[in-house]
Amino acid sequence: MKNEGYRVLEAENGVQVLEALRREPVDLVILDVMMPEMDGIQACFKIRERSNVPIIMLSAKSEDIDKIAGLTTGADDYVAKPFNPLELVARVRAQLRRQSFAGSGAAKAADDAVIEIDDLIINKDRHQVSVRGKDVALTPTEFSILELLASNRGRVFNIDNIYQSVWKEEKFLSDNTIMVHIRKIREKIEDNPREPRYLKTVWGVGYKID
């Protein structure tokens, strides 16, 4: 990361991670799952209680169930060890690029910045979502996926479309990763995630919001 020009803060465990985040503003967090005192899963939960900073999880475990566990804690991406350092750099760039794209709409007209779909309200400039007047906390990746689908009502996006639009990169995640993010969004915005009112599946094709 330093060779790529990033300023890096290091922490030996989850407790030190939380302390570092309290001291200084951070643009992205890379968490190893296996850490002493407080592991990466616990640290991710704690971070999500106070911040939507992008989080990339690292783990020696590569089974899909382990990836799902990492993502359901609120992580935005998951990299299994061993990995090519250049791949991790690419993931970091993709997350930061996505954040910069998300924050580039300050000059938009106010009516373009707010999407209203029945009781679902999405404020793109403020990165805020509410359902029936109640605020919903989404991770940056969850928000970007929801914003993409809501901004293109009726259009069906497949896995590749979503990845390229949200990450601004060619797809290098498994299909399962997008599916986990979709599931988490539904759990947060739908009354019954099994029968979604907003975020719908078009079987064999992809996802849409009407």
Side-chain angles (χ1 to χ4, degrees):
M1 293 298 110
K2 291 179 180 177
N3 287 342
E4 294 297 320
Y6 297 109
R7 187 174 70 92
V8 178
L9 301 176
E10 296 182 42
E12 295 180 359
N13 56 61
V15 174
Q16 291 184 11
V17 170
L18 299 179
E19 291 173 352
L21 289 173
R22 279 192 286 266
R23 290 196 309 268
E24 299 189 49
V26 172
D27 295 315
L28 181 141
V29 176
I30 300 173
L31 283 177
D32 198 325
V33 171
M34 300 301 292
M35 295 189 296
E37 294 191 49
M38 179 187 293
D39 64 25
I41 300 295
Q42 293 175 303
C44 187
F45 270 123
K46 292 290 186 182
I47 293 170
R48 280 290 171 254
E49 290 175 357
R50 67 183 74 175
S51 172
N52 281 330
V53 63
I55 298 173
I56 297 176
M57 301 288 290
L58 304 180
S59 175
K61 300 177 180 180
S62 59
E63 296 298 322
D64 281 344
I65 189 64
D66 298 309
K67 294 182 181 180
I68 291 171
L71 292 169
T72 54
T73 62
D76 296 281
D77 202 351
Y78 183 104
V79 182
K81 302 176 185 177
F83 54 83
N84 186 320
L86 293 179
E87 179 187 355
L88 180 58
V89 170
R91 302 283 186 103
V92 168
R93 285 176 175 166
Q95 288 293 331
L96 294 176
R97 185 182 299 113
R98 187 173 53 74
Q99 286 296 92
S100 66
F101 270 89
S104 64
K108 296 175 185 174
D111 55 349
D112 291 335
V114 178
I115 301 172
E116 295 189 33
I117 304 173
D118 297 329
D119 294 327
L120 174 66
I121 299 176
I122 303 165
N123 189 312
K124 295 191 281 187
D125 285 350
R126 296 182 179 179
H127 269 226
Q128 293 178 339
V129 175
S130 65
V131 180
R132 295 177 299 281
K134 183 178 180 181
D135 289 340
V136 177
L138 299 181
T139 69
T141 297
E142 291 166 358
F143 183 91
S144 294
I145 292 172
L146 181 63
E147 178 187 0
L148 171 69
L149 298 177
S151 298
N152 297 275
R153 293 180 64 176
R155 176 180 170 185
V156 181
F157 286 81
N158 62 28
I159 296 294
D160 289 344
N161 296 152
I162 293 173
Y163 187 82
Q164 292 170 14
S165 297
V166 172
W167 276 263
K168 312 298 179 185
E169 297 276 355
E170 293 297 321
K171 183 167 78 72
F172 49 58
L173 296 182
S174 68
D175 291 356
N176 225 10
T177 299
I178 301 294
M179 291 170 62
V180 171
H181 286 305
I182 293 291
R183 191 184 78 194
K184 294 299 293 182
I185 295 169
R186 283 176 172 157
E187 289 175 355
K188 295 176 181 180
I189 70 170
E190 304 282 1
D191 285 333
N192 183 357
R194 294 182 179 275
E195 297 181 8
R197 173 184 177 188
Y198 301 109
L199 208 172
K200 299 181 180 179
T201 299
V202 179
W203 294 107
V205 184
Y207 305 95
K208 69 173 183 175
I209 291 180
D210 288 324

